[in-house]
Amino acid sequence: MADDEPGRPHGHHEHPRLEALEEAALAAEMETGRREETRAEAKRSLLRRLGRMTAGSFLCVLGLVLMVLPGPGLLTLAAGLLILSVDVPFAARLLEKVRARLPADADGNVPRHVVVSGVGVSVLALGASMWWTFLR
């Protein structure tokens, strides 16, 4: 049966397990989130949280890869952990360990020249590898 057939509610899931999972996630978000009042607010909050978790995880994996390849691996890993730390408590603890390994000034901030040089080396390495692979 398609969703546009009569007698079937629009947006009804084909799988009852997915529907139950969605209901549980929305209920949990309404309990533990920023106290959303409606299901629509809870759904938006859940999607934002999922986006943060996806972006943070991607940056963490990229940071680990860049620790082996040329690039600012620790900075990228720290950025991913910073994004994840909003939702994942262990990421905040791990972020402190990673920040301790980054070069820092007297205030504990990463100097701008370290960030700029790391990004610059990454862009140059990526450009050189793309040139070598596709344009030579």
Side-chain angles (χ1 to χ4, degrees):
M1 264 176 121
D3 276 348
D4 56 351
E5 290 184 23
R8 181 168 200 162
H10 183 69
H12 182 74
H13 291 293
E14 290 288 327
H15 302 287
R17 287 184 187 168
L18 287 177
E19 191 172 308
L21 181 64
E22 181 181 346
E23 288 299 321
L26 288 174
E29 187 66 22
M30 290 181 86
E31 286 294 319
T32 61
R34 55 176 192 101
R35 303 292 182 227
E36 293 81 5
E37 298 294 325
T38 65
R39 287 178 52 82
E41 288 176 355
K43 193 175 257 188
R44 277 193 302 274
S45 179
L46 191 61
L47 289 174
R48 278 193 302 271
R49 184 184 308 244
L50 185 61
R52 279 192 311 265
M53 302 273 293
T54 302
S57 298
F58 174 77
L59 284 175
C60 285
V61 169
L62 181 62
L64 291 174
V65 169
L66 288 177
M67 290 177 83
V68 178
L69 299 174
L74 281 177
L75 283 174
T76 307
L77 182 61
L81 289 172
L82 181 66
I83 293 170
L84 282 175
S85 68
V86 173
D87 299 307
V88 182
F90 86 85
R93 293 189 299 269
L94 193 55
L95 177 61
E96 292 305 316
K97 292 179 182 180
V98 170
R99 283 188 61 108
R101 298 199 58 188
L102 289 171
D105 59 10
D107 297 330
N109 297 324
V110 177
R112 183 174 300 269
H113 75 278
V114 171
V115 174
V116 170
S117 63
V119 170
V121 166
S122 295
V123 168
L124 287 175
L126 181 63
S129 67
M130 288 179 67
W131 173 81
W132 182 262
T133 304
F134 299 114
L135 302 176
R136 68 177 175 111

